[in-house]
């Protein structure tokens, strides 16, 4: 497993990972998290991914040279979460390609996010996630060392902000 910094040229690979994650979620009956349509098939979603990538640092995990997961680290959350009021690193667009679930890709990316946060001299790493589906994703982040802070709602979509301090 290799983690490398991505760039604008990685947009197709990142969209493919996100699309694969939608299929994986839908196959488990989870349609409320990211919907049922591919990211790449929705022009507004493609633009949102492109914009998020340009606001921060995209990272790609490769396994045997194949993109297996991604995240983008930004100095602020997306528009639906208030900034922390102190310097922070925010994990956005974290996803694992369905072919690589169970290989520790997400955990490796989150540890890389922690290392990047410390490298920048920042003490706060935050992420938000879907809080539905019995809170399974919230529990995943807790297992990765994050503490839930602020719940939020976007329409009928329940979300949870989590943080990790250093």
């Amino acid at each position: 497993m290799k983690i490398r910094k991505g760039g604008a040229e990685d947009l197709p690979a990142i969209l493919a990972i996100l699309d694969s994650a939608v299929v994986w979620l839908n196959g488990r009956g989870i349609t409320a998290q990211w919907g049922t349509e591919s990211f790449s098939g929705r022009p507004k979603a493609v633009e949102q991914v492109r914009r998020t990538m340009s606001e921060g640092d995209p990272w790609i995990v490769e396994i045997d040279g194949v993109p297996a997961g991604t995240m983008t680290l930004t100095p602020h959350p997306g528009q639906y979460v208030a900034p922390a009021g102190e310097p922070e690193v925010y994990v956005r667009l974290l996803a694992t390609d369905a072919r690589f679930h169970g290989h520790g890709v997400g955990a490796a990316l989150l540890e890389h996010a922690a290392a990047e946060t410390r490298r920048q001299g920042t003490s706060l790493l935050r992420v938000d996630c879907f809080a539905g589906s019995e809170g399974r994703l919230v529990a995943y982040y807790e297992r990765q060392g994050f503490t839930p802070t602020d719940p939020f709602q976007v329409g009928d979509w329940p979300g949870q902000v989590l943080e990790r301090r250093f």
Side-chain angles (χ1 to χ4, degrees), residues 66-125:
V66 177
T70 186
M71 73 176 170
T72 297
L73 299 178
T74 62
H76 54 78
Q79 63 187 13
Y80 45 84
V81 172
E86 66 181 272
E88 67 180 308
V89 173
Y90 211 94
V91 177
R92 297 172 67 189
L93 300 175
L94 176 68
T96 299
D97 185 291
R99 296 170 292 173
F100 298 98
H101 271 270
H103 288 81
V105 171
L109 282 165
L110 290 171
E111 276 309 306
H112 186 76
E116 281 295 304
T117 301
R118 288 188 297 267
R119 186 188 65 74
Q120 293 177 22
T122 303
S123 62
L124 179 61
L125 175 64

Side-chain angles (χ1 to χ4, degrees), residues 20 33 40 76 82 115 136 140 166:
S20 175
Q33 182 173 333
S40 61
H76 54 78
R136 289 189 294 253
Y140 169 79
F166 304 97

